[in-house]
Amino acid sequence: MVPAARLPVPLAVRPPPPHGPRPIASLRPLLGSPCIYATLRPAAAPLVLTRRGAKEHATISADAPAKVIDGKLVAKQVREEIAVEVARMKDAIGVVPGLAVILVGSRKDSQTYVRNKKKACEAVGIQSFEANLPEDSSEEEVIKHIASFNSDPSVHGILVQLPLPRHMNDENILNAVGIEKDVDGFHPLNIGRLAMQGRDPFFVPCTPKGCMELLHRHGVEIKGKRAVVIGRSNIVGMPAALLLQKANATVSIVHSQTKNPEEITRQADIVIAAVGVANLVRGNWIKPGAAIIDVGINPVDDPESPRGYRLVGDVCYEEASKVAGAITPVPGGVGPMTIAMLLANTLESAKRIHNFK
Amino acid sequence: MVPAARLPVPLAVRPPPPHGPRPIASLRPLLGSPCIYATLRPAAAPLVLTRRGAKEHATISADAPAKVIDGKLVAKQVREEIAVEVARMKDAIGVVPGLAVILVGSRKDSQTYVRNKKKACEAVGIQSFEANLPEDSSEEEVIKHIASFNSDPSVHGILVQLPLPRHMNDENILNAVGIEKDVDGFHPLNIGRLAMQGRDPFFVPCTPKGCMELLHRHGVEIKGKRAVVIGRSNIVGMPAALLLQKANATVSIVHSQTKNPEEITRQADIVIAAVGVANLVRGNWIKPGAAIIDVGINPVDDPESPRGYRLVGDVCYEEASKVAGAITPVPGGVGPMTIAMLLANTLESAKRIHNFK
């Protein structure tokens, strides 16, 4: 038995900054495990550290390898389907879906994300709008721009690029986005509707929606299954748990205060890991045959990489892929789905606003 | 081992109608178990049906009995505390909290509830307002009354007595209640804020709030504990799960699609049962020492009672009280807490509106 572990206090799930990443773990493989360097607390030591554990690991290795859930491929399919629908809508009623992105300040990483979103829009025929405001803008100025997009009939989705400058109150600004154009789906009214039976949200937040899409497209049955979500952030973990529950899974949420997270996770047929800790979920946390969706994108030191770091998920892929039935890689798993789902939400919004089926 | 069971499809959690109750199970004790009559599916057969089970049952009986969580007593304490605060507020700023109840139609049970709420208000010094509208009122008329209470400064809480007549859309009517006076806490915006980290709801729905209050006042530690909520209704199960999660429990929700609900429930240090099925949770579902909050109030046939029925919870009290560390009785457990929490929410609302600490 592996000793009881606690999750580290969750970090934000974040992609690496394009310049000067600050890895949260040092790449120093121990005892042959590709993931051991990522263990943040000694209590979470993996099977491979003990003789008995090594034996169990060997048994696991004999199993058939997991089916890889290729998010890049699925995202491409989704984008192609969206392009077809955008064209059909334009032909039928002359409406082109529009996405507006508001960027405050000049963070390099935010600029990159905004540029990527714009490119993705163009590729499927969605019109993109942009408001670039200086770092020292006031809340009122940002809200004024949001209001103008709220009332612009060619805009069907509005997205405020986070993080906002420190002098702004995120809540005030995000709440200014009209609920019917809140394609991020972060509005509390939207989350409430997601939580309630008999209600539907206007938009499902993009990353959790991407997780569900990957499960659906890989034929993973959800109804009646045990699901564990690791992490309870407002943007991934919590809405993912609500979605799994709406799909009739029996859901448990594992977080930083959970004792023995590995025990609960081992009961799950479906795991969504979204805690932002490199390689936290080891092979011995996983029920054989389970479907694993890894939302984490964590930079770790890698002297062999030209950049000096590489990206890993919250799940130790090398170990988990020997136990799981299906698993998303990092990168190339959930990552590409997020923008695809943003496009899907924008299309959905345009269809709803124009009552186009 | 008990064979795998599934929860029956959940019924609404409801108190018995004052006239002509329709019991959902027949009172026919079998083999000495006080709860066997309530098993709706043979697959959920209890330990006592087998020789081995009977032995296990006997073992359980040898344990120390559970501490009874006396909801009637706690509700009385809460009401007394509220009365003190209402008086303090009146003395300090001359404001009396006010609760408005809207009753449409003339259902006897609804009239009883409204009368009870009115009495409870008077007892603590809260002013009560009432709008009684005929069964054939239009939605617009009901909404007009709600709007008038919304803008009435002596009203701090508004409650629409459910069920509404069939020709009305509950959602339209409930959404008309101003979020800052929605003392029921059922508004999706409120539920969303309950679900989100870093946000707080305006009001916590009364019955789940009562469950948490019982746990708190009995010194049940929640942080880091495993909790299982049985049932996922919008008014009890789902918000109760969100509250437990906010209090840092590791929460699983068991529902009609859950396989082996007893297995998951047996892992829980805290169980909140809110599924509306008489005696569903048997002694062998419960981890020794667990705290059990039973929200169910189910009428079952009882030829020995002058009324012909009696009330039981979702938990088989006779069995569970021999295994649990603490348990609420039915009646006299969660029931009395609901109105007490309604009064608490009304007071809280008045304090917030008048910025009184």
Side-chain angles (χ1 to χ4, degrees):
Chain A
M1 264 303 287
V2 172
R6 272 189 183 236
L7 290 195
V9 174
L11 307 172
V13 174
R14 59 186 162 90
H19 304 294
R22 290 212 296 147
I24 58 167
S26 174
L27 187 74
R28 188 78 60 84
L30 268 178
L31 297 179
S33 164
C35 293
I36 186 66
Y37 59 86
T39 304
L40 294 183
R41 295 191 187 192
L47 288 173
V48 290
L49 285 180
T50 67
R51 182 177 283 275
R52 193 175 150 234
K55 231 157 92 189
E56 284 181 36
H57 189 73
T59 311
I60 285 167
S61 303
D63 289 346
K67 195 167 69 173
V68 177
I69 300 180
D70 184 343
K72 223 165 154 181
L73 186 70
V74 174
K76 188 168 166 278
Q77 288 167 354
V78 170
R79 287 198 310 270
E80 285 167 3
E81 292 163 13
I82 292 172
V84 169
E85 282 297 287
V86 167
R88 186 172 74 86
M89 190 172 179
K90 189 177 175 189
D91 285 353
I93 61 169
V95 171
V96 176
L99 175 69
V101 180
I102 292 160
L103 175 63
V104 187
S106 51
R107 282 177 65 117
K108 287 269 174 297
D109 55 346
S110 292
Q111 287 174 338
T112 306
Y113 302 142
V114 169
R115 197 164 48 241
N116 289 344
K117 283 167 189 168
K118 208 170 165 178
K119 266 195 233 164
C121 281
E122 281 162 12
V124 299
I126 289 178
Q127 211 174 349
S128 69
F129 301 83
E130 212 180 313
N132 287 305
L133 305 175
E135 177 82 20
D136 60 354
S137 306
S138 67
E139 267 186 40
E140 292 66 39
E141 282 167 307
V142 180
I143 289 172
K144 214 183 82 188
H145 277 84
I146 294 175
S148 120
F149 285 136
N150 276 339
S151 58
D152 183 341
S154 31
V155 171
H156 306 96
I158 302 171
L159 190 142
V160 179
Q161 184 65 45
L162 299 178
L164 286 163
R166 286 181 167 229
H167 66 279
M168 289 182 188
N169 179 323
D170 286 17
E171 195 177 334
N172 291 346
I173 288 181
L174 293 177
N175 282 352
V177 176
I179 182 85
E180 76 290 352
K181 296 188 180 183
D182 173 37
V183 281
D184 255 345
F186 295 157
H187 195 289
L189 181 57
N190 206 52
I191 297 293
R193 294 173 65 111
L194 187 61
M196 294 170 86
Q197 286 193 79
R199 304 281 181 104
D200 287 306
F202 291 95
F203 300 101
V204 174
C206 301
T207 303
K209 183 174 179 161
C211 297
M212 297 299 284
E213 196 69 30
L214 288 175
L215 291 171
H216 289 314
R217 296 211 181 205
H218 276 76
V220 176
E221 206 192 329
I222 298 173
K223 183 176 162 177
K225 298 292 177 189
R226 287 289 298 274
V228 162
V229 176
I230 306 177
R232 51 177 171 171
S233 68
N234 288 343
I235 57 172
V236 187
M238 179 267 290
L242 296 177
L243 282 167
L244 286 165
Q245 151 116 324
K246 245 192 164 115
N248 289 317
T250 299
V251 184
S252 307
I253 301 186
V254 161
H255 51 75
S256 59
Q257 302 296 326
T258 299
K259 288 169 191 157
N260 304 334
E262 67 278 19
E263 256 182 57
I264 303 175
T265 308
R266 243 192 316 267
Q267 296 175 4
D269 306 296
I270 298 164
V271 175
I272 295 184
V275 74
V277 178
N279 292 322
L280 177 80
V281 179
R282 310 297 303 263
N284 65 323
W285 288 40
I286 291 169
K287 177 177 174 177
I292 313 293
I293 305 292
D294 188 354
V295 183
I297 304 179
N298 311 290
V300 290
D301 274 341
D302 184 358
E304 285 171 31
S305 152
R307 292 174 165 181
Y309 72 95
R310 64 183 183 104
L311 299 178
V312 301
D314 292 349
V315 178
C316 174
Y317 186 85
E318 291 79 358
E319 290 178 10
S321 59
K322 290 170 187 149
V323 190
I327 186 167
T328 58
V330 174
V334 177
M337 292 299 291
T338 300
I339 287 191
M341 292 300 114
L342 176 65
L343 303 176
N345 278 353
T346 306
L347 170 64
E348 199 180 306
S349 176
K351 283 185 169 182
R352 182 165 44 219
I353 289 171
H354 295 280
N355 198 21
F356 179 74
K357 309 260 172 203
Chain B
M1 266 303 289
V2 172
R6 275 189 180 236
L7 292 193
V9 174
L11 307 172
V13 175
R14 60 187 161 85
H19 303 294
R22 290 214 294 147
I24 58 167
S26 175
L27 186 75
R28 188 73 65 84
L30 266 178
L31 298 177
S33 165
C35 294
I36 185 66
Y37 57 89
T39 305
L40 294 183
R41 295 189 186 193
L47 289 171
V48 290
L49 285 180
T50 67
R51 180 175 282 274
R52 195 176 146 230
K55 232 158 95 188
E56 283 178 37
H57 188 72
T59 310
I60 286 167
S61 302
D63 289 348
K67 195 167 70 173
V68 177
I69 300 179
D70 184 344
K72 222 167 154 178
L73 185 69
V74 175
K76 187 169 168 276
Q77 287 165 354
V78 169
R79 287 198 311 269
E80 284 166 4
E81 291 162 15
I82 292 172
V84 170
E85 281 297 287
V86 167
R88 186 172 74 85
M89 190 173 179
K90 190 178 174 186
D91 285 353
I93 60 169
V95 171
V96 177
L99 175 68
V101 180
I102 292 160
L103 174 63
V104 187
S106 50
R107 282 177 64 118
K108 286 272 176 296
D109 53 348
S110 292
Q111 287 174 338
T112 306
Y113 302 141
V114 169
R115 196 164 48 240
N116 289 344
K117 283 165 190 167
K118 208 170 166 175
K119 265 195 233 164
C121 282
E122 282 162 12
V124 297
I126 290 178
Q127 210 176 348
S128 71
F129 301 83
E130 211 180 312
N132 287 305
L133 305 176
E135 176 83 21
D136 60 355
S137 307
S138 68
E139 267 185 41
E140 292 66 39
E141 282 167 309
V142 179
I143 289 172
K144 215 183 79 189
H145 276 85
I146 293 175
S148 119
F149 285 135
N150 277 337
S151 58
D152 184 340
S154 34
V155 171
H156 306 96
I158 302 170
L159 190 142
V160 179
Q161 183 65 44
L162 299 177
L164 286 162
R166 289 183 166 226
H167 67 278
M168 289 182 187
N169 179 324
D170 285 16
E171 196 176 333
N172 290 346
I173 288 181
L174 293 178
N175 282 353
V177 176
I179 183 84
E180 76 289 354
K181 297 190 179 182
D182 174 35
V183 280
D184 255 345
F186 294 156
H187 195 289
L189 181 56
N190 204 52
I191 297 293
R193 294 173 65 110
L194 187 60
M196 293 169 88
Q197 286 192 78
R199 305 282 181 103
D200 287 306
F202 293 94
F203 300 101
V204 173
C206 301
T207 303
K209 183 174 180 161
C211 297
M212 297 300 284
E213 195 67 33
L214 288 175
L215 290 171
H216 289 313
R217 297 210 179 207
H218 276 76
V220 177
E221 206 193 330
I222 298 174
K223 183 175 162 178
K225 298 293 178 189
R226 288 288 300 273
V228 161
V229 176
I230 307 177
R232 50 176 171 173
S233 69
N234 288 342
I235 55 171
V236 188
M238 181 267 291
L242 296 176
L243 283 168
L244 286 165
Q245 151 115 325
K246 245 192 165 114
N248 289 316
T250 298
V251 184
S252 307
I253 301 186
V254 161
H255 51 74
S256 59
Q257 302 295 326
T258 299
K259 288 168 190 156
N260 305 335
E262 67 280 19
E263 256 181 58
I264 304 174
T265 308
R266 246 192 315 266
Q267 297 174 5
D269 306 297
I270 298 164
V271 176
I272 296 184
V275 73
V277 178
N279 291 324
L280 177 80
V281 179
R282 309 300 302 265
N284 64 326
W285 288 41
I286 290 169
K287 178 177 173 177
I292 313 294
I293 305 290
D294 188 353
V295 183
I297 305 179
N298 312 290
V300 290
D301 276 341
D302 184 356
E304 284 169 30
S305 151
R307 291 173 165 183
Y309 73 94
R310 64 183 185 106
L311 299 179
V312 300
D314 292 349
V315 178
C316 175
Y317 186 85
E318 290 80 358
E319 290 178 10
S321 59
K322 290 171 186 147
V323 190
I327 185 167
T328 58
V330 174
V334 177
M337 292 298 290
T338 300
I339 287 191
M341 293 300 114
L342 177 66
L343 303 177
N345 279 353
T346 304
L347 169 64
E348 198 180 309
S349 176
K351 282 184 169 183
R352 182 162 47 218
I353 289 172
H354 294 280
N355 199 20
F356 180 75
K357 310 259 171 202

